[in-house]
Amino acid sequence: MSIRNTIGSPVEGQNFYDREEMQARLWDRLETDHVLLLAPRRVGKTSLLYKLEATAETHNFKAIFASVASHSTELAFLHALLEILAGDRGPGAKIVSRAQKLLDRVKKLSVDKISVELEMQQWQDIGAELLQILRTVDGRCVLMLDELPIFVLNLLRVHGRERARLFLNWFRHVRGDRQARLGVRWLVCGSIGLDTVTQRERLGDTINDLAIVRLGGFSREHARDFLADLAATYSIELSDEVNGHILDKIDWLIPYHLQLLFSMVRDLEVITPDIASVDQAYDRLLTNSHKSYFDTWVQRLLDELGPIDEDHALALLEAAARDTSGAPKSVMRELMHGRGADEQLTRYLLGVLESDGYLVEDSDRWRFRSPLLRDYWRSMVLS
Ligand SMILES: Nc1ncnc2c1ncn2[C@@H]1O[C@H](COP(=O)(O)OP(=O)(O)OP(=O)(O)O)[C@@H](O)[C@H]1O
Ligand SMILES: [Mg+2]
């Protein structure tokens, strides 16, 4: 089966590689719990959700997917949810028609101009009715929400903490409802850690019912086989030595980085790439014209942390990027001290940078988790 070299969009069908163990783990967890899938950005979360959606029936689940990143009000969130419940893939005819009726009500509200008080009342009423609908789901259904943390950040930024708490409390209440739990499981994830967002805003209690599952890179063995399959698709002869060299260069074996470097090797148009070809491809990946592949890593810092903490985080990353083995922890501490950040804030920021896949603790140092990202940082951000 040939697997195509995809760089950016979520992958589906035969272009989705492996993740067998993770799929089995998630299905097993969903038997009993709602799940928060945690992974650094670009690790392959959305692709995995698509895969789960496509294979749900073999696990006796229906699965429906919604991305809620672009919304910033509770009504818009409910609109997105009702839309998938009322769609073709919805969980049964009874639900579909009730969801459609409620959706029509939401649609009417978004046309009418209403006061904030009325809007708050309306979303809570509709939220309560949605729960009634979820209580009547026949069989089992997984509702997958991608980019939920971005929606929560939007709520926080536009409407403040109290409103975010009200929403998160409602959502927790829905998840915890005994009757709804018989048929419904929630699987939430996003490119920003919901755990770090809620922890920072002291809202951690609103998500502590979710079972946490972490998604990381491929094992070396899977990454090697993945590259071999990609090479076969494009009739490229990749020796074990060259394959191993790609793995060494990438080191943090997330499929996106493997796909990126492979695409650069492909662009060289050599049938039998050697070690020098891989080095050349790697260097090309770091040139200006490929900057957009990594921009998200800079951009999301601002979204997640806001301007002041983003500045601190950039300073930490700059320090770690200077040396391939990172920066000593003591240097990081002094740096933050000099910037007026206390120890608690420093710990929080390093925690975010670690869980989002930027940095990793290495004995008494903090270094970049991905050499590729570090080299990008050096060439783009530090220059
Ligand atoms: N299972 C996989 N098989 C092959 N390639 C994959 C797989 N998962 C991810 N990729 C690669 O990673 C890229 C990003 O995947 P995806 O959009 O699913 O990640 P994400 O974690 O949702 O990213 P973001 O944090 O930006 O939302 C894809 O374009 C593809 O190159
Ligand atoms: Mg995604």
Side-chain angles (χ1 to χ4, degrees):
M1 212 167 53
S2 65
I3 182 159
R4 300 196 67 85
N5 179 211
T6 311
I7 44 172
S9 313
V11 287
E12 291 189 74
Q14 66 187 45
N15 294 331
F16 180 89
Y17 190 78
D18 184 50
R19 300 292 197 200
E20 300 287 341
E21 273 171 38
M22 183 50 71
Q23 290 176 57
R25 233 173 95 194
L26 284 166
W27 286 122
D28 179 56
R29 216 355 98 223
L30 286 165
E31 285 291 327
T32 49
D33 292 285
H34 304 299
V35 172
L36 172 60
L37 179 64
L38 287 181
R41 55 213 53 175
R42 303 269 74 190
V43 163
K45 301 172 290 295
T46 305
S47 304
L48 180 60
L49 293 190
Y50 285 172
K51 178 71 175 182
L52 296 174
E53 187 185 26
T55 53
E57 281 187 15
T58 57
H59 299 270
N60 295 321
F61 275 106
K62 282 202 162 208
I64 39 179
F65 170 97
S67 173
V68 292
S70 55
H71 307 306
S72 60
T73 66
E74 302 83 349
L75 277 174
F77 173 90
L78 292 171
H79 186 294
L81 206 53
L82 286 164
E83 217 160 37
I84 57 167
L85 286 168
D88 295 345
R89 299 176 181 209
K94 200 167 63 185
I95 299 283
V96 170
S97 74
R98 288 184 69 187
Q100 184 61 51
K101 278 197 195 118
L102 200 53
L103 178 61
D104 291 341
R105 250 177 74 193
V106 179
K107 280 185 178 155
K108 188 164 178 321
L109 284 173
S110 49
V111 175
D112 299 341
K113 260 216 144 338
I114 53 175
S115 67
V116 175
E117 291 73 29
L118 191 56
E119 188 186 337
M120 291 301 287
Q121 188 56 56
Q122 293 285 11
W123 92 251
Q124 288 175 77
D125 290 351
I126 286 167
E129 283 191 45
L130 177 68
L131 174 57
Q132 295 298 333
I133 294 179
L134 294 177
R135 283 178 174 161
T136 63
V137 165
D138 280 335
R140 304 192 303 171
C141 178
V142 188
L143 299 174
M144 304 191 294
L145 296 184
D146 199 6
E147 302 295 8
L148 182 74
I150 299 201
F151 169 69
V152 174
L153 277 175
N154 290 343
L155 262 189
L156 277 164
R157 200 165 301 138
V158 182
H159 307 290
R161 190 165 166 278
E162 281 322 300
R163 215 162 129 172
R165 172 169 279 286
L166 193 66
F167 168 79
L168 285 167
N169 279 341
W170 166 81
F171 189 27
R172 182 175 171 151
H173 171 69
V174 169
R175 292 192 305 267
D177 185 85
R178 210 165 160 193
Q179 206 178 333
R181 273 181 51 81
L182 295 174
V184 177
R185 289 287 179 276
W186 296 87
L187 170 55
V188 296
C189 77
S191 48
I192 284 173
L194 184 62
D195 55 335
T196 50
V197 171
T198 49
Q199 187 193 338
R200 173 195 160 95
E201 298 291 334
R202 299 186 308 283
L203 296 167
D205 57 307
T206 61
I207 61 157
N208 60 11
D209 60 312
L210 294 167
I212 291 178
V213 177
R214 289 179 196 276
L215 177 68
F218 286 163
S219 67
R220 193 164 169 103
E221 199 187 352
H222 283 150
R224 185 199 57 207
D225 293 349
F226 174 56
L227 285 174
D229 283 5
L230 278 175
T233 303
Y234 297 94
S235 306
I236 290 174
E237 289 167 15
L238 205 59
S239 68
D240 287 348
E241 189 196 7
V242 175
N243 188 324
H245 188 57
I246 296 181
L247 302 184
D248 291 342
K249 296 285 280 186
I250 298 292
D251 190 45
W252 185 38
L253 301 173
I254 63 172
Y256 184 52
H257 288 181
L258 294 166
Q259 297 254 26
L260 280 178
L261 185 50
F262 181 79
S263 79
M264 291 292 141
V265 172
R266 254 181 83 198
D267 286 353
L268 297 175
E269 296 184 1
V270 287
I271 292 170
T272 316
D274 56 13
I275 300 276
S277 326
V278 172
D279 291 343
Q280 190 186 350
Y282 185 91
D283 292 342
R284 277 202 191 177
L285 196 47
L286 296 168
T287 54
N288 233 335
S289 49
H290 303 108
K291 191 169 173 277
S292 64
Y293 295 142
F294 304 100
D295 277 350
T296 172
W297 291 84
V298 183
Q299 202 180 311
R300 283 281 153 93
L301 272 180
L302 178 63
D303 296 342
E304 183 167 6
L305 297 171
I308 298 171
D309 288 353
E310 183 217 17
D311 251 12
H312 291 318
L314 288 174
L316 289 168
L317 291 169
E318 188 175 325
R322 291 194 183 283
D323 193 301
T324 48
S325 60
K329 288 179 178 169
S330 56
V331 168
M332 295 291 214
R333 267 198 306 273
E334 273 166 40
L335 174 72
M336 285 296 103
H337 186 70
R339 298 175 58 89
D342 63 19
E343 256 185 52
Q344 199 188 351
L345 179 57
T346 305
R347 250 201 319 275
Y348 161 72
L349 289 171
L350 285 167
V352 169
L353 293 175
E354 185 180 25
S355 59
D356 282 0
Y358 294 81
L359 297 182
V360 67
E361 228 173 330
D362 195 349
S363 55
D364 61 346
R365 301 174 82 89
W366 285 100
R367 65 168 169 81
F368 267 77
R369 188 163 188 184
S370 156
L372 190 56
L373 189 61
R374 181 199 60 225
D375 291 340
Y376 160 80
W377 222 268
R378 290 168 74 98
S379 67
M380 299 298 168
V381 183
L382 297 183
S383 60

